[in-house]
Amino acid sequence: MMLSASFAALLSLLHVATAQTTTASAPTATSTVALNNAAKAAGKLYFGTATDNPELTDTAYVAILNNTNMFGQLTPGNSMKWDAIEPEQNVFDFTGGDQIADLAEATGKIIRGHNLVWYSQLPTWVSSGTWTTETLTAVIQNHVTTEVSHYAGKMYAWDVINEPFNDDGTFRTDVFYNTLGSDYISIALTAARAADPNAKLYINDYNLEYSGAKIDAMVQLVTDLKAADVPIDGIGFESHFILGEVDASSLQTNMESLTALGVEVAITELDDRIELPATDADLEQQKADYESVVGVCMAVSGCVGVTIWDYTDKYSWIPSTFSGYGEACPWDENLVPKPAYDGIVLGFQS
Ligand code: 9MR
């Protein structure tokens, strides 16, 4: 059938438009398989997402979030962090954290607690306090014990220590390290184990996905903790990727270096940011990136699950942090699944 000249011209205009940027006609996902179902069928414990309290008033967002065939696990994006939970010394507020823990329970989802000891989102009474070895040890123990006890029996895992390393493999010099050296790590892990013996205790960090000093330092830390009988059960690979920079081979090697030491691993904060405007080709590359990361978790038996750092571009942290980048999540800002969604399904089927 011949297209009329004007219709063909319109199509060609549309083609040019879609080649340059994502538009209303940007490619979308075609798979009908739900992602947590795909993960479980593949023998993994969960496929999950971060969420955050302000988003829970968005009914369209919550409708997808609450589908446990889609998401079998939640991580609170902010409301279990120190500044939210213990804003003043020994004054605890579990309101926001409870909202997400209750939602997870009501919808039959696993929950990962995030996080207990981190240099960021610390109230100033901690970060700017004047501490001795004894007083800061007591502060860490009180914070960890109170928070972990509050959620005891409900948590699959806790990110007990978050982002302890610089990219060059040295310990980050925050108030904890500067006061206690690396002992703050064993102090927090030991307190967490005592408060909830059934929760898996994790250390979580970014840039463990590549070879180099940072993963080497993490392997050494786990080796040292194991040798000292300090409880450690898992390592989280945050996995905040830049489009086209997934190195599946390094990621697999690094995960296996850790599982060989007797800990499990998880992909804890996956996203894949694109330099804007994103082209259709970029969305195809993003599909390949997601497939490749999930495929590595499949290839490593000790990789228990995959969490994305919110499911939709509508609530992604990327645009406000990395100027000129965005569209990092598998659902677009209108809650429509992108080709990346199909990549995740393919990854679990690999
Ligand atoms: O998603 C979180 C965002 O809403 C906060 O503004 C930000 C503040 O630090 O923290 C984000 O989550 C981070 C996570 O807790 C640890 N790894 C990096 C994540 C992205 O910054």
Side-chain angles (χ1 to χ4, degrees), residues 90-101:
N90 210 26
V91 175
F92 288 84
D93 179 358
F94 293 106
T95 316
D98 286 358
Q99 190 185 5
I100 293 180

Side-chain angles (χ1 to χ4, degrees), residues 4-14:
S4 80
S6 57
F7 186 53
L10 180 65
L11 275 184
S12 109
L13 271 175
L14 280 174

Side-chain angles (χ1 to χ4, degrees), residues 129-141:
T130 305
W131 304 113
T132 64
T133 302
E134 291 70 27
T135 58
L136 191 58
T137 297
V139 160
I140 293 171
Q141 288 171 332

Side-chain angles (χ1 to χ4, degrees), residues 77-78 81 114-115 118 120-121 162-163 238 240 269 309 317:
N78 286 297
K81 292 172 179 174
H114 177 83
N115 57 54
W118 187 27
S120 183
Q121 290 176 273
N162 207 45
E163 302 176 353
E238 291 189 10
H240 294 294
E269 304 184 11
W309 206 243
W317 68 296

Side-chain angles (χ1 to χ4, degrees), residues 44-46 110 112 156-159 198-204 208 218 222 226 232-237 254-268 297 300-305:
K44 297 300 172 187
L45 212 49
Y46 59 83
I110 286 168
R112 298 189 79 261
Y156 170 70
W158 272 106
D159 290 328
N198 295 317
K200 304 270 187 192
L201 307 183
Y202 272 64
I203 302 174
N204 186 52
L208 301 177
M218 188 63 88
V222 173
K226 287 271 179 193
I232 176 71
D233 304 309
I235 300 298
F237 287 66
N254 295 354
M255 285 187 159
E256 285 170 346
S257 304
L258 289 161
T259 57
L261 300 174
V263 292
E264 62 181 45
V265 295
I267 302 281
T268 52
C297 186
V300 177
S301 60
C303 179
V304 297

Side-chain angles (χ1 to χ4, degrees), residues 153-216:
K154 297 185 172 177
M155 288 289 167
Y156 170 70
W158 272 106
D159 290 328
V160 178
I161 305 292
N162 207 45
E163 302 176 353
F165 289 116
N166 297 309
D167 282 345
D168 68 2
T170 56
F171 282 104
R172 193 186 286 277
T173 49
D174 56 14
V175 64
F176 305 112
Y177 186 79
N178 290 342
T179 309
L180 298 164
S182 62
D183 286 354
Y184 82 89
I185 295 173
S186 54
I187 291 165
L189 287 164
T190 303
R193 176 67 94 230
D196 184 356
N198 295 317
K200 304 270 187 192
L201 307 183
Y202 272 64
I203 302 174
N204 186 52
D205 214 331
Y206 60 89
N207 287 348
L208 301 177
E209 299 83 23
Y210 308 99
S211 59
K214 198 167 191 174
I215 182 65
D216 295 347

